[in-house]
Amino acid sequence: MDALETLKKYWGHDSFRPMQKEIIDRALDGGDVLAILPTGGGKSVCFQVPCLMKEGLALVVTPLIALMKDQVQNLEARGIRAVALYAGMTRREIDLALNNAAYGDFKFLYVSPERLGTALFKSYLEVLNINYIVVDEAHCISQWGYDFRPDYLQIGELRRAVDAPVIALTATATPRVAQDIMDRLSADGREFTLMKSGFERENLNYIVRECSDKLGQVLTVCNSVPGSGIIYLRSRSKCEELSARLKAEGLSVAFYHAGLGPQARASRQEAWKRGEIRIMVCTNAFGMGIDKPDVRLVIHMDLPESPEAYFQEAGRAGRDGKTSYAVLLWNRTDLQRASKLERTSFPELEYIADVYQKLHIYNSIPYDQGENRQVKFDLAEFCAHFKLERSRVHYSLVYLERSGHITYSEDVDIPTRVQIVRSRNELNDLVFDDPLLGDVLEALMRGYPGIFSFAVCINEERFCAACGVSVEHLHRLLYRLSLEHVIKYIPCERSSVIVLHHNRLQPGNVDMQPQRYEMLLQNYRDRCAAMAGYVTQDSECRSRYLLKYFGQENSTLCGRCDVCRAKGSKGELNLLREYLAAHPNATIEDIKALALNPSSGFTPRVLELYRLLSR
């Protein structure tokens, strides 16, 4: 079966998207490849198809736990077996998953990067028949990347232990980042091929608006552009507040952020994907890996932290190729806030070193102990205990991760766990007043090997579908069984998790890597400057500005962004004349509405043109 037949069999598509076939062919030839494809370019197919065509399983390294789980579910829905390892799993659960990957009929093993260096994972390398090493979000391995992760550097060591070609993928990489990725992933005697798709999005209209009344602008845009949309904010509380205000205006809206429980997030995401919710107001926790092609509108109400983040988030609009809008609202206060955020994002090294010690004190870890320990972490409780500012502690932990001391996984879903504590003989003698209790117990025994020996993770949605009960009903049944002392029931929870990479060090012995700190600070300043330049300049095509940032020097004017439209005022004048001929009773208020509507073809300059015509 060739690549196209594999695509047709599992995905039902008759053709590949641009660059997919070339990347797949290179991977099938056994060469290492770095693929840079824009958001929505179909990166997962580029490694899933060649893996299915070869014996063995693909080892997929990705830092995005939500995306990892989503891809595993999507693969299993297509009849392809996949398993994932991530923060929050116990050693026994990881051992069982690795054993299944090694000896079961699995094609994909998804791994978060911090797992690569553990002794348990390394002990399985010889028996894992790995056909490809896949590095998703590959910019994380580059010190110049906007989301550098030291755990990714272990992939270089993995290459020395596993003789398999690499497929590295990312949506955002500058030329310097791309070269750094290939340098860090290259192996002796193997040629690395860079395959890069053009970043132009011919259907996407970039609109930048400087305004003081952002809420009014949002209402105008949402009422003017039909279809599904996303509104990004950087604050959880602002998401909830804006969602309530838009609902009060009659819009179909919900909010989404990492502070919601797993069931709430899953139900809202599915309702939005089905079109039951039109607009999702969210932090950047929403959108990654979501396959919804008909998003017509992405609005940013806060200034994104980098062109890379903005390009990814804006690119979630119009994946079906139809006309869509990426609208960024800003004012001078946003620029001042971005400048002030630098102090919060980069606490002093002495402060970060103090947070390192307090983290160990909080978990009662003495000096020279703690290596590879995994601890649950509640940021609010930690800061209250030590009377510290939450945002500065958060960014201190981020830097401790980037300097290789810890792995910091925020808001991890730790699934429901169940262990049967009665023997099989004892279970035969049990009589329940509710027959569903017996049905659930039977399904647990059949579906989860080892459940008598240790607590196993339960996929609640899949289990409920098999048993014909709701998730809420399942929780009540499991609780009843625990009260009868039949099972040990550990409900699902949501927690941040920190993995300590080494034993606790004495004060003064913690390597704070000041040179890395200065480099990251300068990179941060450069990205902030590039983002500020994007919104404040009004002479260069928005699309061309972004493409130039990513190293694509030769590009045409998009003709659709607010800058291109403003430059085309002669055409806009003719368009206005046509509008007035068709609407002879139009008022200045009608013209203002046209100016505020990004899909009308007019810009704010139309008000000036209208006044000129009215003289």
Side-chain angles (χ1 to χ4, degrees):
M1 190 161 54
D2 64 17
L4 189 57
E5 290 171 335
T6 303
L7 182 74
K8 178 70 174 177
K9 176 181 177 181
Y10 291 103
W11 284 269
H13 302 319
D14 294 316
S15 61
F16 288 103
R17 294 181 186 178
M19 289 298 296
Q20 284 184 330
K21 182 64 164 57
E22 293 85 344
I23 295 165
I24 290 168
D25 286 343
R26 177 61 179 158
L28 290 173
D29 288 340
D32 295 340
V33 58
L34 169 60
I36 304 179
L37 296 174
T39 301
K43 292 184 292 295
S44 58
V45 166
C46 295
F47 69 84
Q48 289 170 349
V49 167
C51 173
L52 290 169
M53 295 174 65
K54 285 197 172 184
E55 183 182 350
L57 84 163
L59 176 67
V60 186
V61 183
T62 176
L64 304 169
I65 296 174
L67 181 58
M68 186 188 301
K69 293 178 179 179
D70 189 55
Q71 288 205 5
V72 168
Q73 289 182 347
N74 289 338
L75 287 166
E76 291 184 339
R78 293 184 170 93
I80 304 167
R81 302 193 74 185
V83 65
L85 309 179
Y86 47 84
M89 295 175 68
T90 66
R91 178 183 174 85
R92 188 181 291 274
E93 290 163 355
I94 293 169
D95 192 16
L96 178 62
L98 285 168
N99 190 72
N100 287 338
Y103 303 111
D105 186 23
F106 283 79
K107 292 299 293 181
F108 295 92
L109 171 60
Y110 284 80
V111 182
S112 54
E114 74 274 5
R115 295 295 172 196
L116 299 176
T118 63
L120 180 57
F121 177 80
K122 290 179 179 178
S123 70
Y124 273 90
L125 280 179
E126 290 187 3
V127 293
L128 290 172
N129 183 19
I130 297 172
N131 58 17
Y132 289 101
I133 298 172
V134 179
V135 185
D136 198 14
E137 305 297 326
H139 57 270
C140 293
I141 200 172
S142 171
Q143 63 178 337
W144 308 108
Y146 74 101
D147 196 18
F148 170 68
R149 308 288 182 93
D151 289 324
Y152 260 65
L153 299 176
Q154 298 183 72
I155 301 173
E157 182 181 342
L158 177 68
R159 290 224 64 181
R160 292 188 284 273
V162 177
D163 183 20
V166 164
I167 307 174
L169 308 115
T170 182
T172 49
T174 62
R176 179 165 65 170
V177 169
Q179 187 58 54
D180 197 27
I181 292 170
M182 293 188 288
D183 290 344
R184 292 180 179 276
L185 291 177
S186 62
D188 292 340
R190 298 182 70 100
E191 181 183 355
F192 227 111
T193 303
L194 172 62
M195 307 191 79
K196 187 174 180 180
S197 174
F199 285 89
E200 292 93 342
R201 293 287 304 277
E202 295 182 357
N203 64 311
L204 188 56
N205 297 262
Y206 292 103
I207 308 295
V208 175
R209 293 272 172 84
E210 182 179 6
C211 57
S212 56
D213 180 17
K214 291 187 179 182
L215 177 61
Q217 286 280 337
V218 166
L219 284 169
T220 299
V221 173
C222 289
N223 287 324
S224 302
V225 179
S228 183
I230 304 173
I231 302 175
Y232 282 112
L233 289 154
R234 298 183 73 168
S235 162
R236 295 179 183 181
S237 59
K238 286 183 178 178
C239 286
E240 297 180 18
E241 179 185 341
L242 179 63
S243 176
R245 296 186 72 173
L246 294 180
K247 270 187 180 177
E249 296 291 337
L251 293 177
S252 170
V253 183
F255 67 85
Y256 183 110
H257 54 64
L260 292 171
Q263 291 181 35
R265 283 182 288 113
S267 63
R268 292 183 190 194
Q269 179 175 305
E270 287 304 312
W272 178 76
K273 288 171 70 174
R274 291 192 300 265
E276 297 168 7
I277 295 170
R278 182 187 162 215
I279 305 289
M280 189 66 78
V281 182
C282 54
T283 63
N284 61 4
F286 181 79
M288 188 65 69
I290 292 177
D291 185 17
K292 184 171 173 61
D294 60 343
V295 178
R296 298 277 75 86
L297 178 67
V298 172
I299 301 175
H300 282 80
M301 288 189 69
D302 290 325
L303 206 60
E305 63 182 23
S306 68
E308 290 94 334
Y310 178 67
F311 195 76
Q312 277 204 351
E313 291 161 8
R316 289 170 188 150
R319 294 186 182 184
D320 57 3
K322 297 180 181 179
T323 300
S324 303
Y325 298 87
V327 180
L328 198 163
L329 307 177
W330 73 285
N331 52 46
R332 298 292 162 177
T333 303
D334 292 315
L335 297 181
Q336 296 168 4
R337 187 181 298 116
S339 179
K340 291 178 181 177
L341 192 60
E342 181 182 304
R343 177 183 173 273
T344 301
S345 301
F346 286 86
E348 301 81 3
L349 288 177
E350 294 78 9
Y351 184 94
I352 299 172
D354 185 55
V355 169
Y356 169 88
Q357 296 296 341
K358 285 182 167 61
L359 175 63
H360 289 79
I361 293 169
Y362 188 69
N363 289 284
S364 304
I365 300 172
Y367 294 116
D368 300 322
Q369 293 187 31
E371 184 175 7
N372 294 325
R373 183 167 170 184
Q374 179 175 280
V375 297
K376 294 180 183 178
F377 182 76
D378 188 305
L379 180 62
E381 289 182 5
F382 180 86
C383 293
H385 181 81
F386 291 107
K387 296 181 174 58
L388 298 172
E389 184 182 339
R390 289 181 62 169
S391 57
R392 283 168 63 77
V393 170
H394 165 79
Y395 284 107
S396 295
L397 295 172
V398 169
Y399 182 74
L400 287 171
E401 178 174 46
R402 291 189 168 191
S403 53
H405 296 291
I406 66 171
T407 295
Y408 178 36
S409 301
E410 298 181 76
D411 298 313
V412 175
D413 291 326
I414 302 175
T416 294
R417 294 178 174 88
V418 175
Q419 179 181 358
I420 298 177
V421 296
R422 298 283 191 95
S423 69
R424 291 183 182 273
N425 289 334
E426 289 177 309
L427 294 180
N428 292 332
D429 298 330
L430 292 177
V431 177
F432 298 109
D433 56 0
D434 184 348
L436 276 176
L437 292 170
D439 294 342
V440 166
L441 192 58
E442 180 71 20
L444 288 170
M445 288 188 287
R446 290 181 180 276
Y448 296 93
I451 197 169
F452 285 91
S453 303
F454 55 88
V456 300
C457 293
I458 304 298
N459 185 318
E460 292 185 350
E461 288 77 11
R462 195 181 308 159
F463 190 87
C464 289
C467 294
V469 297
S470 67
V471 172
E472 292 75 13
H473 196 180
L474 174 66
H475 290 167
R476 292 196 295 271
L477 293 170
L478 292 175
Y479 182 65
R480 282 278 309 277
L481 288 170
S482 70
L483 291 178
E484 299 287 338
H485 303 290
V486 176
I487 65 170
K488 179 182 179 182
Y489 170 42
I490 308 170
C492 61
E493 60 178 320
R494 188 165 180 79
S495 173
S496 294
V497 175
I498 290 177
V499 179
L500 306 175
H501 286 188
H502 52 71
N503 291 330
R504 181 183 174 189
L505 300 170
Q506 296 276 352
N509 290 341
V510 184
D511 182 7
M512 300 311 298
Q513 303 176 24
Q515 290 182 329
R516 179 179 297 281
Y517 180 91
E518 290 300 324
M519 183 199 72
L520 291 172
L521 177 57
Q522 188 56 52
N523 286 350
Y524 175 85
R525 288 170 175 166
D526 291 344
R527 291 189 175 95
C528 286
M531 204 64 237
Y534 175 76
V535 298
T536 56
Q537 67 88 26
D538 58 3
S539 60
E540 185 172 14
C541 166
R542 303 291 182 191
S543 176
R544 179 177 280 184
Y545 184 99
L546 291 171
L547 295 174
K548 190 180 294 185
Y549 179 85
F550 291 109
Q552 189 170 324
E553 294 290 341
N554 298 319
S555 60
T556 59
L557 297 175
C558 74
R560 302 174 307 278
C561 71
D562 60 294
V563 173
C564 287
R565 289 181 181 181
K567 286 185 175 180
S569 59
K570 184 177 180 180
E572 190 170 10
L573 181 60
N574 292 332
L575 191 64
L576 177 59
R577 284 180 174 138
E578 292 175 6
Y579 176 83
L580 293 175
H583 303 83
N585 297 321
T587 66
I588 185 67
E589 295 303 319
D590 296 324
I591 305 304
K592 286 181 179 179
L594 290 175
L596 292 173
N597 182 357
S599 66
S600 67
F602 291 100
T603 70
R605 184 178 173 82
V606 71
L607 291 170
E608 179 185 345
L609 298 174
Y610 175 75
R611 293 187 182 101
L612 287 172
L613 288 178
S614 301
R615 287 177 183 173

